[in-house]
Amino acid sequence: MERFWQQLETFLQAHGNLRFELEKDRLIFQGEAILTEPPEDGNLPFTLFRDGIQWLEFQDGIEAQEIEDFLRILNKYRLLSDEPEGDLVTALWEAELPHIQHHVAEFFWAAEPEAEFTIPPAKEDISSVLSEEEEQEASESEAVAPIDPITLELTPEEEAELQEMVRLEEKRDPTADYLNAVLDSLLELREKENFDPILESLEEEFHDSLARRDFEVTLKILKSLHHVRQICESETTWAIPIIDSFFLTASSSQSLRPLQAAWSEMDAGQIEKMKEILLVLQPEAIHTLGAMLLHTPSLRLQQMLTEVILSLASRDLRPLVAMLDRPEEDLVLKLVQVVGSLGGEKPIQILSKMVHHSSARVREAAVKGLLRRGPDSIKELFHLIDDEDDSVRRLILHHLGQERNEASETLLLQYLEEGNIKGSDDKHIIACFRILGRCGSPRSIPFLRQTLFGKSWMPDLRSPAYRQGAALALKALNIEGAQQVLEDASRSLKPGVRRIARKVMQD
Amino acid sequence: MSAQDSELMELGGKFIKAFHHMIHTVRIHQENNQLMKECIAEFGKVLAQMAGGEELEMLLWRGRFFLQGEKLLYRRETFPLINEMMEYFPQRGLQGLRFHPTFRKASFKDFIIFARLLDEAAMQEDPPSWLESQLADNGLQWLEILREMDDIPPDIELRRKEKAKQTYLQALTTVKEVAQKVSQRSVAGIRKARRLAQTMVDLVLEDETLMLGLSTIRDYDDYTYTHSVNVALLSMSLGRRIGLSQSFLEQLAICGMFHDLGKVEVPKDIITKPDMLNTGEWEHIRRHPLIGVHRVLRLHASRDMRSRVVLGPFGHHLNYDLSGYPRLHFTETLTLFGKILRIADTYDALTAERAYRPRSFSPDEALRMMWEKVGMEYDPILLKTFINMMGLYPVGTVLKLDSGELGLVVDYPSESERTRPQVLLLVDDGQGSLKGSEELNLADRDQKTGSYERQIVKCLHPSVLGIQPSEFFLKEAS
């Protein structure tokens, strides 16, 4: 580029301006065709000729940047563009390249239109107007006061204000004004045929604003339409489904896709703005937001998304429920966590269902969600004490052992008495006894005594873990009766019983 | 007219006087005559000033006198001289003369020879050829004669006028096409409108007066379309005055062109109804800005362009104090484009012939009416700027002078004098109509008394006389 510019500038300094005439298939310099190409898109002469350029001139003093801009424009319009309004000539005009001049042929406009303007005939006879005496003149317009030219002078303050007005206008993004105008016309012309095109344009603006990350605009569109909807609720009910449809489309995965690209680059302010936007959307947005939640490493964003999903799901759980069947464990886990935060009967049903999920983490989250609702849910969840996953089992036990509780004690007593503990996990057995000790009461002492001492007339076939667990439970009960049993056991004739009791008492 | 143009015109007047004086004096006096010496010296001096180191071309074309491609305005003192040139040059088969820069080396005697040869050429059988050979024989290579030609290319100003006229007509066609398409619920492109707007911007930047003159075009039958183009021209001119950039002027032009798209759908019998409108009819009128917004949405334009163009239909009936129509729910502030269009739209509408008014308002009257509502309906700063731009008697106003003459305001030669325009005197053409004659500057004062030579007695609406002011501006281009 640099070399080309230098060569061109050298030429211009030596030979003056370089002007090319354009024909559809030829570039002509000083009457000679220097480039001939078929008149097809992509070829230089045709590209320039197509939009009406008659000649193109490079002038002395040209800057390298001008050449670069020119080539960029040329390249952009080499093929017929789909641009709705622009063309090569427009682009050159806008670029204002001082040393690259061009002339546009007037044939671009085709035939010259006729210039026939009708004006009413003269109201007064011309000769009489010309011969009127001065004294007879009586202006009809005298009723309006004359303007004192002094009042027309701009004060220095007004001059400054005007400059500022222009500066701000040229800097200003017209989108907000445009939206206001469109929304005002929507409310003022409440006719069905007008709603569709306006909402279409708002939809387009919604997508554009998201794509260019102009979240102010996105939010304005959504909030304004909410306002319109409220007004229509009482006066123009037919508009409600149309507006709802807008929100539904806006909440679709396709609409929100641009967010995924923008996600990682958002600052705190943008995240807050985004949250406001998402909160105005329909619950259908959960489909996209859930996926985003899954792929967002930022804890801050995760927190925001979770809050939004929570809010949207509180309006309608169905989109969220539909996603619980998705195969992504992490996604389902996060959504179950959200459901766990929701109040009402429906989330309980969902969580109750999710405790049967194939993923232990999901089950655990579902259990947590249910347990947060109060002690009553433990009865329903107690079966998970046999869950194949240790963490789920521990969760149940942890809950049971939080306080002395008759219901928990009953459940555990029944569980341990039946002895149908799945598998032979000694640790789990011991853990169950420990919890019984924490939540239990004197009511458990007979069972624990019996478990610790065993039946004298027959050998104990159960795991030693039962005996150890019982001793531990008795100790955890921390009541007089239990202590007595342990002391009795420490003096037992059975060495196994005696050893366990003494060890537990010492620990 | 810029200060530079004004200076050129001033110098042009001096030049034509000096030339006239020289060719007359040379017929009477010998070369040693003092007056002769003074004439030649004066001509040489003004010629050098005019040329400024370059060549100088004086040309007669279609009844107008051009120096360096710029038309010499008719003024009282130069009018008879130019008229005389209209005969002098054709008698010699000349279109004009070109002085090459080497004239600076020409002697006093060379100028005398040149003047005498010009004088004698009228008596020759083939004056141009004779002159050419005589000039060569006398070594006057610094002078080139321009022969009369039928197909002489128009000069810059005439080309500009032709281009302006064509652009106006094309803009009119484009507005019609777009309006019809969008009213039929079709999508309309604005590529052509953009190209036209760019040309209009170029023209406004080059010659604001010409474009203001064009904006006086009126079409009683097809008011809406000429009105749309006029509003575009007026808005752009105001935009230029306040310093909007080229690309904003383009957008403003498009806003103006399409500001009344909604009006196309108002039934014509309402628009042309001579009586008061009833409530339903008035409601139709009040809706047109909103319909316009809807129609703009049908334009096949970029988001950015559409965002701007919408402001035209939406804002052109909104007042500075946010009254007017449409009723606002979301909009809280006016846009600059809206405020400009409000002014341009009102001015053009007031000065147009409308069925519902017993008479249309003369341009100055329209400005005064608007000024009474400054701060309520119109932005004070913008309206001041607009009136300063238009002058108290805007271009296209017909003035009755105390001399009994009629003058059509064609320009304000001085930026600082906006109350006394340049007028083209209108005279009876003997066929019941008016024709232009000389141009006068109403700021000219009597040298003895210091008072203005002519006073304005009253203003007339051009329609009173059945004239289309723009025809006088575009005369050479037709």
Side-chain angles (χ1 to χ4, degrees):
Chain A
M1 185 68 77
E2 185 72 14
R3 202 166 61 239
F4 172 69
W5 169 61
Q6 281 172 355
Q7 286 176 350
L8 179 63
E9 186 56 14
T10 307
F11 178 93
L12 294 173
Q13 282 170 3
H15 304 288
N17 297 341
L18 176 59
R19 180 181 287 199
F20 298 106
E21 313 283 335
L22 269 308
E23 289 182 6
K24 63 181 175 185
D25 56 352
R26 296 195 304 170
L27 201 61
I28 298 165
F29 176 62
Q30 293 187 343
E32 275 190 47
I34 55 164
L35 177 68
T36 304
E37 287 180 327
E40 292 166 3
D41 284 339
N43 288 341
L44 182 64
F46 188 70
T47 300
L48 295 166
F49 176 85
R50 186 186 57 202
D51 285 334
I53 295 182
Q54 215 169 26
W55 53 255
L56 183 71
E57 185 172 88
F58 296 88
Q59 297 177 343
D60 187 17
I62 194 165
E63 302 283 339
Q65 186 60 46
E66 286 181 66
I67 294 172
E68 204 173 316
D69 290 344
F70 174 73
L71 291 177
R72 183 177 41 75
I73 291 168
L74 196 62
N75 201 36
K76 184 177 176 189
Y77 291 96
R78 245 163 26 97
L79 297 174
L80 262 178
S81 163
D82 283 337
E83 293 275 318
E85 61 195 50
D87 58 17
L88 190 131
V89 173
T90 293
L92 286 176
W93 187 84
E94 283 179 332
E96 292 186 68
L97 306 173
H99 300 96
I100 302 178
Q101 299 296 312
H102 65 278
H103 182 258
V104 182
E106 281 156 25
F107 63 75
F108 179 80
W109 304 120
E112 178 182 329
E114 291 295 319
E116 289 293 330
F117 303 111
T118 53
I119 49 168
K123 295 181 178 64
E124 293 183 30
D125 179 54
I126 285 163
S127 52
S128 68
V129 173
L130 285 167
S131 62
E132 271 175 349
E133 292 298 321
E134 275 177 55
E135 295 76 27
Q136 291 170 340
E137 308 297 350
S139 172
E140 288 182 78
S141 65
E142 278 168 4
V144 189
I147 304 172
D148 178 358
I150 301 293
T151 60
L152 294 174
E153 285 172 17
L154 289 183
T155 63
E157 292 76 23
E158 286 175 325
E159 292 274 9
E161 199 181 325
L162 182 60
Q163 280 179 16
E164 184 64 3
M165 207 191 288
V166 172
R167 190 187 69 80
L168 289 176
E169 181 67 20
E170 299 212 333
K171 221 177 83 177
R172 170 182 187 145
D173 179 355
T175 310
D177 299 323
Y178 163 73
L179 289 175
N180 287 332
V182 167
L183 288 160
D184 276 333
S185 74
L186 191 66
L187 274 182
E188 278 298 287
L189 284 186
R190 260 181 268 168
E191 291 159 2
K192 212 164 183 176
E193 65 159 342
N194 293 321
F195 248 71
D196 284 338
I198 289 204
L199 285 180
E200 265 173 38
S201 73
L202 287 174
E203 198 176 304
E204 190 185 333
E205 191 58 44
F206 173 83
H207 295 315
D208 282 350
S209 62
L210 270 186
R212 63 176 192 271
R213 301 179 195 182
D214 191 347
F215 301 138
E216 276 296 344
V217 169
T218 317
L219 186 61
K220 182 180 172 55
I221 293 170
L222 295 174
K223 283 192 167 174
S224 303
L225 270 179
H226 257 293
H227 179 62
V228 172
R229 192 187 186 283
Q230 281 170 359
I231 292 173
C232 290
E233 268 173 0
S234 57
E235 299 167 32
T236 330
T237 48
W238 56 259
I240 302 293
I242 303 176
I243 298 174
D244 285 350
S245 167
F246 173 93
F247 276 101
L248 202 60
T249 309
S251 306
S252 68
S253 303
Q254 199 178 354
S255 291
L256 298 176
R257 193 167 294 148
L259 285 184
Q260 288 170 330
W263 224 219
S264 56
E265 295 156 20
M266 282 189 198
D267 58 30
Q270 285 178 313
I271 291 173
E272 270 312 299
K273 192 60 67 187
M274 179 49 60
K275 184 179 177 183
E276 284 187 69
I277 291 168
L278 298 175
L279 286 171
V280 191
L281 292 177
Q282 298 280 60
E284 279 70 16
I286 291 173
H287 288 289
T288 307
L289 303 183
M292 287 180 186
L293 185 60
L294 191 59
H295 296 113
T296 301
S298 155
L299 288 177
R300 181 183 215 152
L301 281 172
Q302 283 185 19
Q303 176 65 27
M304 184 273 273
L305 283 170
T306 306
E307 286 168 18
V308 172
I309 293 173
L310 187 64
S311 170
L312 298 181
S314 67
R315 281 155 51 193
D316 183 359
L317 260 174
R318 283 171 298 180
L320 190 148
V321 171
M323 291 189 76
L324 293 175
D325 291 334
R326 294 271 293 266
E328 301 96 326
E329 182 190 0
D330 286 345
L331 173 63
V332 177
L333 173 66
K334 287 181 189 297
L335 295 177
V336 167
Q337 286 166 343
V338 171
V339 178
S341 304
L342 289 167
E345 193 53 37
K346 184 72 181 164
I348 294 175
Q349 291 170 11
I350 295 167
L351 291 171
S352 301
K353 187 180 161 197
M354 297 311 287
V355 297
H356 301 291
H357 196 270
S358 58
S359 157
R361 290 160 66 217
V362 172
R363 292 198 302 276
E364 185 183 344
V367 168
K368 279 183 182 168
L370 285 166
L371 290 176
R372 265 201 297 271
R373 277 151 215 279
D376 294 346
S377 47
I378 190 63
K379 197 172 175 182
E380 308 298 329
L381 297 173
F382 189 77
H383 67 277
L384 291 171
I385 201 164
D386 277 332
D387 193 277
E388 63 191 39
D389 188 80
D390 183 45
S391 59
V392 177
R393 295 195 304 266
R394 275 193 276 121
L395 185 61
I396 297 293
L397 288 170
H398 175 75
H399 184 79
L400 289 166
Q402 278 180 333
E403 58 184 1
R404 304 226 173 261
N405 181 290
E406 195 181 339
S408 301
E409 183 182 26
T410 306
L411 287 167
L412 272 172
L413 270 176
Q414 195 177 347
Y415 176 65
L416 291 168
E417 277 172 354
E418 283 173 3
N420 292 331
I421 299 171
K422 284 183 184 168
S424 54
D425 185 346
D426 288 350
K427 276 188 187 169
H428 175 60
I429 294 166
I430 290 169
C432 289
F433 276 102
R434 275 184 194 275
I435 296 301
L436 178 63
R438 283 186 206 158
C439 68
S441 66
R443 187 157 64 94
S444 296
I445 294 175
F447 165 69
L448 293 173
R449 182 185 177 86
Q450 189 183 0
T451 305
L452 180 60
F453 284 96
K455 290 179 179 153
S456 56
W457 44 269
M458 62 179 292
D460 194 349
L461 298 176
R462 290 188 302 185
S463 162
Y466 277 84
R467 185 167 280 162
Q468 190 184 351
L472 288 167
L474 285 163
K475 186 176 183 190
L477 277 172
N478 197 23
I479 50 178
E480 198 178 332
Q483 185 64 27
Q484 187 58 56
V485 175
L486 275 177
E487 282 174 13
D488 292 349
S490 69
R491 293 191 292 273
S492 170
L493 295 175
K494 292 180 180 175
V497 174
R498 196 171 59 237
R499 192 176 61 250
I500 287 170
R502 284 180 182 172
K503 186 168 188 310
V504 167
M505 288 171 74
Q506 280 168 9
D507 286 344
Chain B
M1 185 186 280
S2 68
Q4 202 180 359
D5 292 341
S6 185
E7 194 185 335
L8 184 72
M9 287 302 115
E10 194 66 37
L11 213 49
K14 281 186 187 172
F15 179 83
I16 196 75
K17 270 189 207 166
F19 182 77
H20 182 266
H21 206 180
M22 180 181 74
I23 58 175
H24 276 273
T25 310
V26 82
R27 286 179 189 160
I28 306 163
H29 297 289
Q30 296 298 314
E31 61 185 62
N32 57 358
N33 177 277
Q34 186 56 32
L35 184 61
M36 187 74 233
K37 287 178 184 170
E38 284 172 14
C39 282
I40 296 289
E42 175 65 11
F43 177 73
K45 186 178 129 195
V46 180
L47 174 63
Q49 277 181 318
M50 276 293 290
E54 306 287 323
E55 65 178 27
L56 179 108
E57 186 182 272
M58 56 190 295
L59 187 78
L60 269 96
W61 195 71
R62 292 193 182 180
R64 307 305 292 263
F65 198 89
F66 293 85
L67 280 170
Q68 300 295 59
E70 292 293 332
K71 185 182 76 182
L72 195 63
L73 293 178
Y74 283 4
R75 292 192 173 167
R76 197 171 61 89
E77 62 274 22
T78 52
F79 185 64
L81 309 183
I82 293 171
N83 266 351
E84 196 178 319
M85 291 301 119
M86 297 300 162
E87 291 179 11
Y88 184 89
F89 277 73
Q91 279 172 357
R92 289 153 181 82
L94 298 179
Q95 191 86 47
L97 297 170
R98 186 176 292 134
F99 299 88
H100 292 288
T102 46
F103 74 80
R104 290 170 178 278
K105 292 178 185 163
S107 64
F108 169 74
K109 197 177 169 186
D110 288 338
F111 276 110
I112 298 249
I113 295 168
F114 148 64
R116 289 199 196 290
L117 289 174
L118 271 182
D119 189 43
E120 290 166 20
M123 278 125 18
Q124 308 305 318
E125 197 172 319
D126 179 5
S129 303
W130 181 83
L131 254 178
E132 271 172 349
S133 74
Q134 288 295 316
L135 290 172
D137 291 350
N138 286 283
L140 305 183
Q141 282 85 359
W142 46 269
L143 185 71
E144 183 185 349
I145 62 161
L146 304 171
R147 288 167 176 258
E148 267 189 331
M149 286 159 56
D150 292 334
D151 58 346
I152 189 164
D155 76 302
I156 298 167
E157 185 177 333
L158 296 179
R159 273 198 304 243
R160 189 187 296 153
K161 279 192 174 182
E162 181 61 32
K163 189 174 173 184
K165 180 187 155 197
Q166 283 306 311
T167 305
Y168 188 99
L169 296 175
Q170 292 287 357
L172 208 57
T173 310
T174 303
V175 174
K176 275 185 199 176
E177 282 170 3
V178 169
Q180 281 159 9
K181 275 188 184 171
V182 295
S183 70
Q184 290 160 5
R185 312 289 188 267
S186 310
V187 173
I190 63 159
R191 193 183 290 228
K192 191 173 168 186
R194 282 201 70 180
R195 291 278 290 268
L196 280 164
Q198 289 155 17
T199 309
M200 289 201 281
V201 170
D202 290 341
L203 287 164
V204 163
L205 294 175
E206 283 170 22
D207 192 343
E208 180 191 88
T209 306
L210 173 64
M211 299 314 271
L212 290 177
L214 264 185
S215 76
T216 62
I217 289 180
R218 298 282 178 264
D219 191 356
Y220 188 73
D221 289 346
D222 231 347
Y223 163 76
T224 302
Y225 300 119
T226 46
H227 169 69
S228 298
V229 180
N230 293 342
V231 168
L233 293 175
L234 292 167
S235 301
M236 265 193 304
S237 301
L238 179 54
R240 172 186 175 264
R241 284 279 168 150
I242 64 172
L244 282 178
S245 68
Q246 182 178 287
S247 60
F248 275 79
L249 291 178
E250 183 207 355
Q251 292 177 356
L252 191 52
I254 295 170
C255 269
M257 284 160 77
F258 297 138
H259 82 282
D260 254 350
L261 279 185
K263 210 169 205 170
V264 176
E265 295 185 31
V266 178
K268 202 167 180 179
D269 52 354
I270 295 180
I271 291 182
T272 56
K273 186 176 175 180
D275 310 315
M276 287 278 283
L277 299 179
N278 63 35
T279 312
E281 290 165 338
W282 181 231
E283 192 51 37
H284 260 295
I285 296 287
R286 287 176 64 90
R287 282 162 53 96
H288 87 267
L290 299 169
I291 301 282
V293 169
H294 283 240
R295 298 302 166 253
V296 168
L297 296 180
R298 291 187 188 282
L299 296 180
H300 190 38
S302 70
R303 179 192 149 270
D304 198 41
M305 180 59 80
R306 219 166 34 197
S307 304
R308 292 271 178 198
V309 179
V310 154
L311 306 179
F314 185 75
H316 75 283
H317 283 290
L318 283 175
N319 292 327
Y320 183 65
D321 60 6
L322 288 174
S323 62
Y325 56 92
R327 198 152 63 102
L328 303 177
H329 302 269
F330 291 92
T331 302
E332 290 171 345
T333 53
L334 297 176
T335 62
L336 181 60
F337 275 25
K339 288 189 272 192
I340 290 174
L341 286 162
R342 176 83 184 111
I343 291 171
D345 177 75
T346 310
Y347 174 77
D348 190 72
L350 285 174
T351 52
E353 281 276 299
R354 305 306 305 280
Y356 58 83
R357 280 198 296 251
R359 68 182 183 90
S360 41
F361 302 104
S362 63
D364 69 302
E365 195 180 0
L367 289 183
R368 282 184 278 134
M369 289 170 74
M370 291 169 72
W371 185 244
E372 287 197 330
K373 292 172 182 170
V374 69
M376 291 173 284
E377 294 192 11
Y378 314 103
D379 182 298
I381 298 175
L382 291 176
L383 186 59
K384 278 185 182 184
T385 312
F386 183 74
I387 299 175
N388 281 325
M389 173 182 83
M390 302 299 281
L392 287 183
Y393 305 102
V395 167
T397 308
V398 179
L399 301 176
K400 184 80 193 286
L401 306 175
D402 61 354
S403 57
E405 296 158 306
L406 286 176
L408 175 70
V409 177
V410 290
D411 198 3
Y412 278 86
S414 164
E415 273 301 310
S416 56
E417 174 53 272
R418 308 301 287 177
T419 57
R420 295 200 149 259
Q422 175 111 359
V423 295
L424 172 70
L425 286 185
L426 300 175
V427 295
D428 195 338
D429 68 354
Q431 295 168 340
S433 191
L434 291 164
K435 65 175 183 180
S437 66
E438 64 177 304
E439 284 184 15
L440 302 174
N441 188 346
L442 297 184
D444 285 348
R445 292 173 187 270
D446 186 299
Q447 286 184 346
K448 286 179 188 166
T449 64
S451 56
Y452 290 117
E453 290 178 349
R454 284 174 175 78
Q455 297 291 348
I456 299 165
V457 176
K458 74 167 183 178
C459 303
L460 296 168
H461 193 279
S463 65
V464 171
L465 304 166
I467 61 166
Q468 187 82 267
S470 55
E471 283 176 6
F472 292 90
F473 290 94
L474 295 172
K475 203 173 176 187
E476 291 84 354
S478 59

